[in-house]
Amino acid sequence: MSSPDEGRSTGDKLSDKAHHPFGGLREKLKGTHLYDAKVKMIQTKHTIGKFGNLFNPNHRHDEEHEQKTDEKRTKKNESHRFQSFAPEHDGNKVKWYVDGRDYFWAVSIALERAKETIYIEDWWLSPELFLRRPPYFNQEWRLDQILKRRAEAGVKIYIIVYKEVNQALTCNSAHTKNALRDLCPPGTPGHGNIVVMRHPDHNMFENAGDMTFYWAHHEKFIVIDYNLAFIGGLDLCFGRWDNHQHPMADAHPSGVKNEMWPGQDWNNNRIMDFQSVQDWKSNELSKADYGRMPWHDVAMGVIGDCVYDIAEHFVLRWNFVKRDKYKRDERFGWLCMAGREGEDEDLVAVQRPKHPVGEYIHHPLSPLESKDRGTQGTVRAQIVRSSADWSSGILTEHSIQNAYSEVIRNAQHYVYIENQFFITATGEDQLPIHNTIGKAIVDACVRAGKEGRKFRVIVVIPTIPGFAGDLRDDAAAGTRAIMDYQYKSICRGEHSIFAQVTAQGVDPKNHIFFFNLRSYDRLNKTPGMQKQEEISGVKYQDVQRAEAEEIMAEGVHGGGGDDSSDTGLKRDISGQEEREHLIDQKRQFEEKREEAGTKEATSNDSIAKNAMFNEGKVSEEPWEGDPEAEKDHFVQEELYIHGKLLIADDKIAICGSSNINDRSQMGLHDSELAIVMEDSNVLESTMDGNPFQAGHHAATLRRYLWREHLGLLKAQVNDAANDPNAQPPADCPNDIKEGAEFEFVADPLDDKVWDLWTSSATTNTEIFRHLFHADPDDNIKTFEDYDHFMPHKGIKQGHLYDPYMPVADVRAKLDQIRGHLVWMPLDFLKDAELAEKGLQVNQWTESIYT
């Protein structure tokens, strides 16, 4: 490395001499107590000076060098499509992953192969997450154990997680930090190789002018060795693992070791949100009485030049958080990046203060030229983001919104969207909503309508945002507010998408369609299990808790609260007796297995597979004991859509962490990262009956998703070792499951496909209404309707509405459900005030919900 004086003029050196006439003395004092005291005084002065930021919100952009960096970034963005920080790159290899089983399996392989560095950025990260299932038989594939092995092998692991506001969320990033940091204690292999940052800071004495309570870091991505990246909607956290049949049941008469979701990983947000996550083994709902909320998601694996851009975003974020929160913490170094050095290191927020604290670490650790760059595949791709001053220290970038709007507006045949939310504006008069995706949808539909062209926008979102509580309760005011904004975006009021399309002489019902997903299952609470509970005196719920204790016992217990300190591991000594008691109860329960006759259960632990392709009928499923007693164990729940995906015209796809709302799209609020993909590999296909050259990547992903939702895919087994769709992108391409069903959904505008899509949604909707009175529903237009529609208080959430219906009738009805598609109830509570103004919903809080 060159010296600081190298290349400087004699005049510059003389000027320095004039300003620092005692430079030689200063050098001699370095390393002495006097010098250290001076540095600490300067750093304390800077800490106190941060209170001045309260009166200068532009403090990161008001100095000359900061303005030069801003100008450089702006010019760079303006030269790229969508005004993104990143350019388009040809030749990427991109692989799609549908649902958690495939994604987490591929991630487990890729992490295990890491040689140099791992970057992880998540909204929520659960160290005790099992990446392969069942957990009992895959304990070495728990996330923290994989990271521990890689750290011990010398891999440097950098993690950024969102630091939540404790009163609002339960993800407990303090536990994440403590658990991961303490995997390799001092004096053991790997110590110091796992570094975790949390942001934003909520310490007003440290960060008075820069506290952010409303907005979150929402990105979900991984970069491994600068060779491979994963990006999409899946955090490495509890509640995300699932497969294509989306089971709800996890009670196992044949042995609790067969369970799939231990502890807090098993959850139903509609009934109860995650509880006391720092005690990650606790579970307040019994699997013998309730079904979980199933989870649908999508992500990508990437090899090629886009990996560098994803890494650049991480390095920028890391250095920004270093500056913002850890500037005077020597445990956190500055990351320097090949290609962003010298005059360009400011692009990734590298700072060189007079008294630096922490190392300057150059990445990648081996030459960038040795990485998998250049032509690796056939996908032209670009990274886009939502990012701003509070999240990355940059001027606001909303290239994700730009990409969504432009792709939708330019679509000629269809737009297919899967998203967690749908809150958007059609113009400037729809306050407090600002993002313009709704306007793009209106423009695309009006243009198609006036041209007489078949064109559809198909949107699949959750029926209810996944937050706990009865929608009729006062505590659900926030959830109702989100739903109110969604309905006003879609079809209610003069500024809605439907109204704006209608106002221009086009019928929106010919072009715009909204759907939800829903799943059913049967809890395998057999007479034998109930007898085993009785004779052992132990409830199955206690057994499931004990199982979590056993398979997670070697984990660590992170401290709760808003811990920003470095007190280290907080051992849960007081809970040792309780854990031993639970494990003893499990032993008592297991000792009575043979006496109870539950050694070999004849009924299946889940029947969710029956909704999939050629997987049998519910009416043919065996059940132990009294047939009529089976009725108590059928359950349903919304299948929660969490993916953030757009596909247009079977050519282009966008996938990432960004929801369709202002929080994700405006750039000023939540930070997000996504990838825009267009495949040059042509798939000969048809569009509205005409020959059409589709992009292989987008078209095969759309066909796969549609077959999953229509029940035209086979159910998945737990072991994904031989499944190409669960391997990293370098190992093999996606298995697109070619065959008659693949060809059937080839043309997204084909009348037969659309007839099956809509008729399946209609049949499924009617059966869930008839059997379960699943809410929301179009028959609920007022809160009085709601009271009449819902089961009485004695019926558990998600169970059959009519306990006196013959079980044969229930089975016959469930036989008719195919896949998971249902209509979104656009008339739900249309005659009620959904979002009453009050303490939760008002002019100061409305931006939280939009």
Side-chain angles (χ1 to χ4, degrees):
M1 180 180 289
S2 61
S3 72
D5 284 344
E6 191 174 320
R8 302 178 70 218
S9 68
T10 303
D12 289 338
K13 294 174 184 177
L14 288 172
S15 176
D16 279 356
K17 190 79 172 176
H19 282 92
H20 306 289
F22 305 108
L25 178 61
R26 183 176 59 183
E27 288 298 315
K28 290 179 181 178
L29 287 173
K30 278 188 177 180
T32 67
H33 292 300
L34 185 62
Y35 182 84
D36 291 343
K38 175 191 172 185
V39 170
K40 286 184 178 179
M41 286 178 63
I42 293 172
Q43 291 172 349
T44 301
K45 182 187 76 172
H46 289 159
T47 300
I48 297 171
K50 294 186 84 170
F51 280 92
N53 297 342
L54 286 166
F55 310 100
N56 180 19
N58 199 43
H59 63 89
R60 296 190 189 96
H61 308 278
D62 57 353
E63 296 184 19
E64 183 180 359
H65 71 94
E66 293 168 334
Q67 292 171 353
K68 285 183 178 179
T69 298
D70 289 340
E71 183 180 357
K72 190 191 302 185
R73 287 182 178 137
T74 299
K75 286 182 178 178
K76 187 163 167 277
N77 288 22
E78 288 175 347
S79 69
H80 298 154
R81 183 179 65 162
F82 308 133
Q83 292 73 58
S84 171
F85 78 102
E88 299 168 77
H89 296 290
D90 289 320
N92 292 276
K93 180 182 292 184
V94 184
K95 186 171 185 175
W96 41 256
Y97 298 94
V98 175
D99 296 324
R101 188 208 74 150
D102 291 358
Y103 178 72
F104 288 143
W105 192 286
V107 167
S108 74
I109 296 173
L111 289 175
E112 192 70 28
R113 293 174 178 172
K115 304 295 184 191
E116 297 177 359
T117 56
I118 296 170
Y119 297 163
I120 300 175
E121 182 151 355
D122 267 336
W123 176 77
W124 180 17
L125 187 150
S126 303
E128 300 81 22
L129 175 72
F130 287 88
L131 299 184
R132 301 184 185 186
R133 308 292 165 111
Y136 180 85
F137 301 102
N138 288 283
Q139 295 184 47
E140 71 273 25
W141 295 108
R142 206 173 77 181
L143 177 60
D144 57 355
Q145 298 307 303
I146 300 173
L147 296 179
K148 177 180 172 68
R149 288 196 296 272
R150 299 327 299 148
E152 290 173 343
V155 175
K156 308 296 184 181
I157 301 169
Y158 300 84
I159 298 170
I160 306 175
V161 292
Y162 165 56
K163 183 179 179 181
E164 75 289 357
V165 177
N166 288 336
Q167 290 77 6
L169 294 166
T170 60
C171 36
N172 201 331
S173 60
H175 167 63
T176 300
K177 176 191 71 174
N178 291 334
L180 293 177
R181 184 185 57 197
D182 293 325
L183 287 172
C184 302
T188 67
H191 175 63
N193 285 344
I194 302 176
V195 190
V196 183
M197 284 183 170
R198 298 190 299 150
H199 190 264
D201 202 0
H202 307 310
N203 183 340
M204 72 170 297
F205 297 104
E206 179 68 19
N207 257 13
D210 294 315
M211 290 188 296
T212 299
F213 294 110
Y214 284 174
W215 317 127
H217 293 299
H218 199 242
E219 300 100 320
K220 303 108 171 38
F221 66 87
I222 306 167
V223 180
I224 300 173
D225 292 340
Y226 277 68
N227 280 323
L228 166 66
F230 293 96
I231 181 172
L234 283 147
D235 293 283
L236 297 173
C237 71
F238 292 151
R240 279 28 173 191
W241 192 97
D242 213 330
N243 54 36
H244 296 343
Q245 58 266 36
H246 299 289
M248 297 172 59
D250 199 25
H252 302 272
S254 59
V256 71
K257 65 180 181 295
N258 295 311
E259 72 173 3
M260 304 296 292
W261 294 274
Q264 285 284 330
D265 203 9
W266 188 94
N267 185 257
N268 187 326
N269 300 65
R270 283 291 314 278
I271 305 172
M272 180 183 291
D273 205 352
F274 291 94
Q275 302 293 310
S276 58
V277 173
Q278 71 270 19
D279 183 10
W280 34 259
K281 300 174 306 310
S282 72
N283 195 319
E284 300 305 318
L285 292 175
S286 172
K287 297 177 182 180
D289 295 320
Y290 293 96
R292 61 181 286 271
M293 178 182 284
W295 198 272
H296 173 66
D297 227 317
V298 181
M300 301 289 155
V302 185
I303 298 174
D305 289 342
C306 280
V307 173
Y308 179 90
D309 297 332
I310 299 171
E312 179 176 351
H313 179 73
F314 182 91
V315 171
L316 168 70
R317 291 278 339 282
W318 181 274
N319 289 331
F320 168 70
V321 177
K322 164 70 176 173
R323 166 191 171 173
D324 194 51
K325 184 177 177 183
Y326 300 105
K327 195 169 187 176
R328 290 171 291 281
D329 192 328
E330 63 184 6
R331 297 168 307 153
F332 300 90
W334 299 89
L335 295 185
C336 304
M337 187 178 187
R340 295 288 180 262
E341 299 164 304
E343 293 184 353
D344 283 339
E345 70 178 8
D346 58 336
L347 292 174
V348 290
V350 174
Q351 291 193 336
R352 296 188 182 271
K354 185 180 293 185
H355 304 290
V357 179
E359 297 179 276
Y360 288 86
I361 308 162
H362 186 275
H363 282 185
L365 297 181
S366 58
L368 185 61
E369 296 74 25
S370 68
K371 304 303 178 183
D372 293 333
R373 307 189 72 195
T375 301
Q376 301 293 326
T378 59
V379 177
R380 183 174 180 82
Q382 182 182 15
I383 304 303
V384 288
R385 68 185 176 189
S386 293
S387 207
D389 177 65
W390 84 266
S391 57
S392 298
I394 64 173
L395 299 179
T396 302
E397 179 179 333
H398 50 74
S399 51
I400 296 177
Q401 182 185 176
N402 297 344
Y404 264 77
S405 296
E406 185 173 320
V407 169
I408 291 169
R409 192 170 283 113
N410 293 337
Q412 295 295 308
H413 304 286
Y414 80 87
V415 175
Y416 177 69
I417 293 171
E418 292 185 3
N419 208 281
Q420 186 180 0
F421 298 100
F422 191 88
I423 298 175
T424 184
T426 59
E428 298 178 358
D429 301 320
Q430 208 168 343
L431 298 178
I433 309 168
H434 298 279
N435 78 81
T436 59
I437 292 171
K439 179 66 166 64
I441 291 174
V442 170
D443 292 346
C445 292
V446 169
R447 181 163 54 90
K450 291 185 174 180
E451 293 173 1
R453 175 166 37 87
K454 186 185 285 188
F455 178 81
R456 294 192 184 111
V457 177
I458 303 168
V459 183
V460 185
I461 61 176
T463 183
I464 299 178
F467 305 105
D470 188 322
L471 283 174
R472 296 167 290 179
D473 294 343
D474 291 342
T479 303
R480 293 198 304 271
I482 294 172
M483 298 179 72
D484 186 52
Y485 288 124
Q486 290 193 154
Y487 281 123
K488 287 175 178 174
S489 298
I490 298 165
C491 59
R492 297 181 189 175
E494 62 179 323
H495 301 298
S496 69
I497 292 171
F498 278 36
Q500 289 293 303
V501 172
T502 301
Q504 298 184 59
V506 174
D507 187 352
K509 293 181 181 178
N510 291 332
H511 299 284
I512 310 168
F513 306 89
F514 281 80
F515 299 90
N516 308 139
L517 301 177
R518 195 167 286 277
S519 187
Y520 71 83
D521 210 335
R522 184 187 67 192
L523 307 176
N524 200 20
K525 189 176 182 179
T526 63
M529 178 191 286
Q530 293 171 308
K531 183 178 179 182
Q532 196 172 352
E533 286 183 321
E534 292 169 6
I535 61 179
S536 66
V538 178
K539 291 291 186 182
Y540 188 80
Q541 184 174 9
D542 292 324
V543 177
Q544 72 190 38
R545 286 173 174 165
E547 179 70 7
E549 287 286 355
E550 288 197 282
I551 66 172
M552 296 175 171
E554 66 280 4
V556 296
H557 296 256
D562 190 35
D563 177 25
S564 297
S565 69
D566 291 297
T567 53
L569 189 65
K570 295 188 176 180
R571 300 291 180 187
D572 183 13
I573 299 172
S574 62
Q576 184 62 33
E577 287 186 10
E578 180 187 355
R579 288 196 290 275
E580 291 177 356
H581 174 65
L582 282 171
I583 293 170
D584 188 57
Q585 283 189 312
K586 179 190 171 186
R587 179 187 56 75
Q588 293 176 40
F589 186 82
E590 291 298 327
E591 283 177 351
K592 302 299 181 181
R593 175 172 303 283
E594 189 169 346
E595 184 179 344
T598 56
K599 210 161 190 179
E600 294 296 333
T602 58
S603 52
N604 287 315
D605 291 334
S606 169
I607 62 169
K609 63 181 177 58
N610 294 125
M612 303 304 287
F613 186 65
N614 285 344
E615 293 290 353
K617 297 179 178 181
V618 175
S619 59
E620 297 171 352
E621 285 285 343
W623 174 254
E624 296 182 18
D626 180 5
E628 291 300 316
E630 181 187 16
K631 292 183 301 186
D632 296 335
H633 307 300
F634 288 113
V635 290
Q636 66 78 32
E637 187 54 85
E638 72 166 310
L639 201 179
Y640 199 69
I641 298 109
H642 188 259
K644 299 89 170 60
L645 175 74
L646 180 149
I647 304 174
D649 293 344
D650 272 8
K651 284 184 174 292
I652 191 166
I654 304 173
C655 181
S657 65
S658 182
N659 293 315
I660 296 180
N661 56 15
D662 278 5
R663 289 189 66 112
S664 288
Q665 296 290 337
M666 295 304 295
L668 289 164
H669 301 164
D670 293 356
S671 57
E672 311 282 3
L673 201 68
I675 183 169
V676 185
M677 302 155 285
E678 191 165 6
D679 199 345
S680 62
N681 181 20
V682 170
L683 178 65
E684 295 296 340
S685 186
T686 56
M687 184 71 73
D688 196 16
N690 300 309
F692 184 79
Q693 290 191 324
H696 191 275
H697 176 266
T700 56
L701 174 57
R702 195 267 308 162
R703 294 189 196 189
Y704 197 90
L705 289 166
W706 283 22
R707 282 178 288 162
E708 179 184 0
H709 300 333
L710 290 169
L712 296 177
L713 282 179
K714 298 281 290 181
Q716 291 183 308
V717 297
N718 296 327
D719 188 346
N722 297 316
D723 189 339
N725 290 335
Q727 312 307 314
D731 292 26
C732 55
N734 282 113
D735 177 3
I736 58 178
K737 310 291 184 186
E738 291 184 277
E741 292 71 37
F742 176 79
E743 296 300 332
F744 176 77
V745 296
D747 187 339
L749 296 183
D750 180 73
D751 289 341
K752 291 181 180 179
V753 175
W754 188 240
D755 287 345
L756 179 63
W757 184 275
T758 55
S759 64
S760 295
T762 298
T763 299
N764 294 349
T765 301
E766 290 174 349
I767 292 172
F768 280 115
R769 176 187 296 139
H770 179 68
L771 292 181
F772 300 97
H773 279 221
D775 68 311
D777 188 273
D778 276 329
N779 290 302
I780 304 172
K781 296 179 174 60
T782 67
F783 283 104
E784 185 179 2
D785 293 340
Y786 214 153
D787 291 337
H788 292 311
F789 184 86
M790 295 301 290
H792 63 77
K793 294 295 184 181
I795 303 295
K796 296 189 186 80
Q797 168 75 30
H799 287 246
L800 286 178
Y801 176 80
D802 181 2
Y804 303 106
M805 182 181 296
V807 70
D809 292 354
V810 177
R811 285 169 159 249
K813 285 290 185 183
L814 291 175
D815 280 346
Q816 298 175 48
I817 292 179
R818 303 263 40 98
H820 306 102
L821 201 65
V822 293
W823 287 96
M824 181 174 179
L826 296 181
D827 287 341
F828 176 66
L829 289 178
K830 72 172 186 177
D831 297 329
E833 182 66 39
L834 258 177
E836 310 90 340
K837 298 294 183 182
L839 188 61
Q840 286 193 56
V841 183
N842 52 61
Q843 61 180 331
W844 293 284
T845 64
E846 58 191 7
S847 61
I848 299 174
Y849 304 115
T850 60

